[in-house]
Amino acid sequence: MHTAIAESTEALLLSHAQQALWFYYELAPECSVYNMGLALHFDSALDLQRIGLALNVIARRHRILSSVFHDRSDDADPQPVCQRQLHNTDITLSVASFSASLDAENLKRQVQASIAEPFDLRRQKPLRAKLLRAPDGDTLVLTLHHLVADAASIEIVLRELALVYTNGDTALAAPAPQYAEYVSRERNGDYPRQLAEARQHWLSLLQSAPRVFELPAQNSRPSIRDFSGATLSELLPDSITQRLRRLARERRLTPAAVLLATYQCQLHRYTGQNDFLIGVPVSTRTTQDSEAIVGLFVNTVAIRSRVVASDTFVDLVDRARSALLGAMDHQHYPFSLLVNDLNIARDLSREP
């Protein structure tokens, strides 16, 4: 049973990035793939009053962490969803106590279960905290929904949490900039004109690009993607890493461009396709004031990859560099708008 919650009467707009993510949330609200979690282990017991104070200070400073999301079907507004900030910003710290020490595997299961619990974003705050208390120490598990945070946001929360826990609620005297201010600038001012310029770049680049990229796979693709899968990590030998870095220095580019060219080469070999798109996630924190804001500053840029039979690897590297530079120059154009501009039909089995 949910308790009644008091909300602000002001309906705040979503950013373009939030709108895109909300689409996926509505498709599968019980899915936790967009939950962002981390666990901090301490050898000694935390002071519950101080950690509770620190959590509440952070939630008050960054109001997006105390927001709920609503449909606006009754409003004559082109944006069907809004966010409202709750009057009660306090974060409830749940505590699970264990009489015996948790071994590494059991602790991992407890942490994963806490992070995997879905958010009801229409009724629940998008931040929760749980303390796993055992004789050998405490583990603090924080979970945020991606709709209100990115990787840099987690760094902000952790840094400020440590400051307040150590020094009290006066440790952060200056008010924090709010994500709602960023959204307002995104929707108004000079930003729409910049979008129009970037739009032309992407339409020119992608209008004739292939829409589907098929990798040879053992199993058929499900009709609706279910996010099942795994991550495989592999460490490159130092000899290869050094060669990659040397090539990057010689061509005056970043290792990312070399790795992108390597990826393009592999995809070409696997599929035989000479023209395909690679989606690259980028941060839209391009101004100094955005560095202190908790919120979703993420976009996807499409790198068009063309492979010619006569290409050398250096040719691919140089072309990857040019593609990355062009994408970064126009990275602020929301990918969700680009999908609409290109009139790409939605396919629930894959990303656009």
Side-chain angles (χ1 to χ4, degrees), residues 199-237:
R199 179 177 183 272
Q200 291 307 311
H201 165 82
W202 290 113
L203 290 180
S204 175
L205 178 67
L206 302 178
Q207 197 75 60
S208 61
R211 296 289 189 262
V212 177
F213 183 65
E214 293 290 357
L215 283 169
Q218 182 178 2
N219 301 316
S220 58
R221 182 186 293 272
S223 58
I224 299 178
R225 62 176 185 161
D226 55 10
F227 299 101
S228 61
T231 300
L232 179 63
S233 299
E234 184 88 18
L235 285 176
L236 292 176

Side-chain angles (χ1 to χ4, degrees), residues 308 314 322:
V308 181
V314 171
S322 297

Side-chain angles (χ1 to χ4, degrees), residues 91-106:
I91 301 297
T92 300
L93 175 65
S94 63
V95 180
S97 298
F98 300 87
S99 58
S101 299
L102 298 173
D103 58 44
E105 192 59 34
N106 194 8

